[in-house]
Short mmCIF file of all heavy atoms in Angstrom, two decimals:
data_model
loop_
_atom_site.label_atom_id
_atom_site.label_comp_id
_atom_site.label_asym_id
_atom_site.label_seq_id
_atom_site.Cartn_x
_atom_site.Cartn_y
_atom_site.Cartn_z
N VAL E 61 19.68 69.70 -159.97
CA VAL E 61 18.50 68.87 -159.68
C VAL E 61 18.10 68.13 -160.94
O VAL E 61 17.97 68.74 -162.01
CB VAL E 61 17.31 69.75 -159.20
CG1 VAL E 61 16.10 68.89 -158.87
CG2 VAL E 61 17.72 70.60 -157.99
N PRO E 64 12.48 63.74 -161.22
CA PRO E 64 12.17 62.93 -160.03
C PRO E 64 12.41 61.44 -160.26
O PRO E 64 12.17 60.93 -161.34
CB PRO E 64 10.69 63.24 -159.76
CG PRO E 64 10.21 64.10 -160.86
CD PRO E 64 11.37 64.57 -161.66
N ARG E 65 12.88 60.78 -159.20
CA ARG E 65 13.12 59.34 -159.25
C ARG E 65 11.79 58.61 -159.00
O ARG E 65 10.77 59.25 -158.70
CB ARG E 65 14.11 58.93 -158.15
CG ARG E 65 15.31 59.84 -158.02
CD ARG E 65 16.36 59.32 -157.07
NE ARG E 65 15.90 59.07 -155.71
CZ ARG E 65 16.70 58.98 -154.64
NH1 ARG E 65 18.00 59.13 -154.80
NH2 ARG E 65 16.22 58.73 -153.45
N GLY E 68 9.96 59.51 -155.89
CA GLY E 68 9.44 60.87 -155.76
C GLY E 68 10.52 61.89 -155.40
O GLY E 68 10.34 63.09 -155.62
N PHE E 69 11.65 61.44 -154.86
CA PHE E 69 12.74 62.38 -154.55
C PHE E 69 13.48 62.74 -155.83
O PHE E 69 13.46 61.97 -156.81
CB PHE E 69 13.73 61.75 -153.56
CG PHE E 69 13.24 61.76 -152.15
CD1 PHE E 69 12.52 60.68 -151.63
CD2 PHE E 69 13.46 62.85 -151.32
CE1 PHE E 69 12.05 60.70 -150.33
CE2 PHE E 69 13.00 62.87 -150.02
CZ PHE E 69 12.28 61.80 -149.51
N HIS E 70 14.13 63.88 -155.80
CA HIS E 70 14.90 64.33 -156.96
C HIS E 70 16.37 63.99 -156.76
O HIS E 70 16.90 64.23 -155.68
CB HIS E 70 14.73 65.84 -157.14
CG HIS E 70 13.33 66.24 -157.52
ND1 HIS E 70 12.29 66.17 -156.64
CD2 HIS E 70 12.82 66.69 -158.69
CE1 HIS E 70 11.18 66.56 -157.25
NE2 HIS E 70 11.47 66.88 -158.49
N PRO E 71 17.02 63.46 -157.81
CA PRO E 71 18.46 63.23 -157.69
C PRO E 71 19.17 64.59 -157.63
O PRO E 71 18.81 65.50 -158.38
CB PRO E 71 18.81 62.46 -158.96
CG PRO E 71 17.74 62.82 -159.94
CD PRO E 71 16.50 63.14 -159.15
N LEU E 72 20.14 64.70 -156.76
CA LEU E 72 20.86 65.97 -156.61
C LEU E 72 22.35 65.76 -156.82
O LEU E 72 22.89 64.70 -156.46
CB LEU E 72 20.69 66.53 -155.19
CG LEU E 72 19.28 66.78 -154.66
CD1 LEU E 72 19.36 67.40 -153.27
CD2 LEU E 72 18.50 67.69 -155.60
N ILE E 115 10.86 67.35 -136.07
CA ILE E 115 11.94 66.46 -136.51
C ILE E 115 12.84 66.06 -135.33
O ILE E 115 13.48 65.00 -135.36
CB ILE E 115 12.73 67.10 -137.68
CG1 ILE E 115 13.61 66.06 -138.38
CG2 ILE E 115 13.51 68.31 -137.22
CD1 ILE E 115 14.18 66.50 -139.70
N ARG E 118 11.27 63.04 -133.84
CA ARG E 118 11.53 61.87 -134.69
C ARG E 118 12.98 61.40 -134.53
O ARG E 118 13.25 60.20 -134.52
CB ARG E 118 11.20 62.19 -136.15
CG ARG E 118 9.69 62.35 -136.37
CD ARG E 118 9.33 62.20 -137.83
NE ARG E 118 9.66 63.41 -138.58
CZ ARG E 118 10.52 63.46 -139.59
NH1 ARG E 118 11.14 62.38 -140.01
NH2 ARG E 118 10.76 64.60 -140.20
N SER E 151 16.82 70.23 -140.21
CA SER E 151 17.83 69.17 -140.33
C SER E 151 18.97 69.39 -139.34
O SER E 151 19.48 68.44 -138.75
CB SER E 151 18.41 69.15 -141.75
OG SER E 151 17.37 68.97 -142.69
N ALA E 179 20.19 60.07 -142.34
CA ALA E 179 19.63 60.01 -143.70
C ALA E 179 18.16 59.61 -143.67
O ALA E 179 17.37 60.05 -144.50
CB ALA E 179 20.43 59.02 -144.55
N GLU E 180 17.78 58.78 -142.68
CA GLU E 180 16.36 58.40 -142.55
C GLU E 180 15.52 59.62 -142.17
O GLU E 180 14.34 59.69 -142.51
CB GLU E 180 16.17 57.36 -141.45
CG GLU E 180 16.41 55.93 -141.89
CD GLU E 180 16.02 54.95 -140.78
OE1 GLU E 180 14.88 54.97 -140.32
OE2 GLU E 180 16.91 54.18 -140.39
N LEU E 181 16.11 60.53 -141.44
CA LEU E 181 15.35 61.69 -140.94
C LEU E 181 15.13 62.75 -142.00
O LEU E 181 14.14 63.49 -141.96
CB LEU E 181 16.07 62.30 -139.73
CG LEU E 181 16.03 61.41 -138.49
CD1 LEU E 181 17.06 61.88 -137.47
CD2 LEU E 181 14.63 61.43 -137.87
N GLY E 182 16.04 62.86 -142.96
CA GLY E 182 15.88 63.87 -144.01
C GLY E 182 17.13 63.94 -144.87
O GLY E 182 18.23 63.60 -144.42
N SER E 183 16.94 64.42 -146.09
CA SER E 183 18.04 64.43 -147.06
C SER E 183 19.23 65.28 -146.62
O SER E 183 20.36 64.98 -146.99
CB SER E 183 17.51 64.97 -148.40
OG SER E 183 16.36 64.27 -148.80
N ASP E 184 18.97 66.35 -145.86
CA ASP E 184 20.05 67.28 -145.48
C ASP E 184 20.65 66.97 -144.11
O ASP E 184 21.58 67.65 -143.68
CB ASP E 184 19.51 68.71 -145.38
CG ASP E 184 18.99 69.24 -146.69
OD1 ASP E 184 19.50 68.83 -147.74
OD2 ASP E 184 18.07 70.08 -146.65
N VAL E 185 20.10 66.00 -143.40
CA VAL E 185 20.55 65.77 -142.02
C VAL E 185 21.98 65.23 -141.95
O VAL E 185 22.77 65.69 -141.11
CB VAL E 185 19.54 64.90 -141.23
CG1 VAL E 185 19.97 64.75 -139.78
CG2 VAL E 185 18.13 65.50 -141.30
N GLY E 198 22.97 61.47 -154.48
CA GLY E 198 21.77 60.73 -154.12
C GLY E 198 20.62 61.72 -154.06
O GLY E 198 20.42 62.52 -154.97
N ARG E 199 19.84 61.72 -152.95
CA ARG E 199 18.84 62.77 -152.77
C ARG E 199 19.40 63.88 -151.88
O ARG E 199 18.66 64.69 -151.34
CB ARG E 199 17.54 62.19 -152.21
CG ARG E 199 17.67 61.52 -150.87
CD ARG E 199 16.35 60.94 -150.37
NE ARG E 199 16.57 60.04 -149.25
CZ ARG E 199 16.63 60.42 -147.96
NH1 ARG E 199 16.47 61.68 -147.63
NH2 ARG E 199 16.84 59.53 -147.03
N GLY E 200 20.74 63.89 -151.74
CA GLY E 200 21.43 64.87 -150.91
C GLY E 200 22.03 64.25 -149.67
O GLY E 200 22.81 64.88 -148.96
N GLU E 201 21.68 62.99 -149.41
CA GLU E 201 22.07 62.35 -148.14
C GLU E 201 23.46 61.71 -148.18
O GLU E 201 24.00 61.37 -147.13
CB GLU E 201 21.00 61.31 -147.73
CG GLU E 201 21.18 59.89 -148.26
CD GLU E 201 20.80 59.72 -149.74
OE1 GLU E 201 20.74 60.71 -150.49
OE2 GLU E 201 20.60 58.55 -150.15
N SER E 224 7.56 76.17 -148.71
CA SER E 224 7.53 74.72 -148.51
C SER E 224 8.46 74.06 -149.51
O SER E 224 8.34 74.27 -150.73
CB SER E 224 6.09 74.23 -148.68
OG SER E 224 6.09 72.96 -149.28
N THR E 225 9.40 73.27 -149.02
CA THR E 225 10.36 72.60 -149.91
C THR E 225 9.64 71.72 -150.94
O THR E 225 9.94 71.82 -152.15
CB THR E 225 11.37 71.77 -149.09
OG1 THR E 225 12.03 72.66 -148.20
CG2 THR E 225 12.39 71.09 -149.97
N PRO E 226 8.67 70.87 -150.53
CA PRO E 226 7.98 70.06 -151.55
C PRO E 226 7.29 70.93 -152.60
O PRO E 226 7.28 70.58 -153.79
CB PRO E 226 6.94 69.27 -150.73
CG PRO E 226 7.49 69.21 -149.35
CD PRO E 226 8.25 70.49 -149.16
N ALA E 227 6.74 72.09 -152.20
CA ALA E 227 6.07 72.96 -153.17
C ALA E 227 7.07 73.51 -154.19
O ALA E 227 6.76 73.62 -155.38
CB ALA E 227 5.36 74.10 -152.45
N TYR E 229 9.90 72.04 -155.12
CA TYR E 229 10.25 70.93 -156.01
C TYR E 229 9.13 70.68 -157.03
O TYR E 229 9.39 70.38 -158.20
CB TYR E 229 10.56 69.65 -155.22
CG TYR E 229 12.00 69.56 -154.75
CD1 TYR E 229 12.34 69.80 -153.43
CD2 TYR E 229 13.01 69.24 -155.65
CE1 TYR E 229 13.66 69.70 -153.00
CE2 TYR E 229 14.33 69.14 -155.24
CZ TYR E 229 14.65 69.38 -153.92
OH TYR E 229 15.95 69.30 -153.51
N ARG E 230 7.86 70.79 -156.56
CA ARG E 230 6.74 70.58 -157.51
C ARG E 230 6.77 71.63 -158.61
O ARG E 230 6.58 71.34 -159.78
CB ARG E 230 5.39 70.65 -156.77
CG ARG E 230 4.97 69.31 -156.17
CD ARG E 230 3.49 69.29 -155.83
NE ARG E 230 3.09 70.33 -154.90
CZ ARG E 230 3.22 70.24 -153.56
NH1 ARG E 230 3.73 69.15 -153.02
NH2 ARG E 230 2.83 71.23 -152.78
N ASP E 233 9.33 70.82 -161.12
CA ASP E 233 8.86 69.79 -162.07
C ASP E 233 8.00 70.42 -163.16
O ASP E 233 8.10 70.07 -164.33
CB ASP E 233 8.08 68.70 -161.34
CG ASP E 233 8.96 67.87 -160.44
OD1 ASP E 233 10.19 67.85 -160.66
OD2 ASP E 233 8.43 67.26 -159.49
O1 C5P A 453 14.38 64.69 -147.27
P1 C5P A 453 13.51 65.80 -146.77
O2 C5P A 453 12.51 65.34 -145.75
O3 C5P A 453 14.27 66.99 -146.31
O4 C5P A 453 12.67 66.28 -148.01
C1 C5P A 453 11.54 67.11 -147.90
C2 C5P A 453 10.79 67.10 -149.21
O5 C5P A 453 11.55 67.77 -150.21
C3 C5P A 453 10.53 65.73 -149.78
O6 C5P A 453 9.33 65.19 -149.29
C4 C5P A 453 10.44 66.00 -151.27
O7 C5P A 453 9.17 66.56 -151.59
C5 C5P A 453 11.44 67.12 -151.46
N1 C5P A 453 12.78 66.62 -151.88
C6 C5P A 453 12.93 66.12 -153.16
N2 C5P A 453 14.17 65.68 -153.56
C7 C5P A 453 15.22 65.74 -152.72
C8 C5P A 453 15.09 66.25 -151.41
C9 C5P A 453 13.83 66.69 -151.03
O8 C5P A 453 11.99 66.07 -153.94
N3 C5P A 453 16.42 65.31 -153.14
#
Side-chain angles (χ1 to χ4, degrees):
V61 181
R65 316 188 302 200
F69 282 91
H70 293 71
L72 304 183
I115 195 167
R118 290 199 283 119
S151 302
E180 276 188 57
L181 291 165
S183 308
D184 297 329
V185 184
R199 60 181 167 87
E201 89 284 19
S224 145
T225 302
Y229 275 104
R230 274 198 302 278
D233 292 338

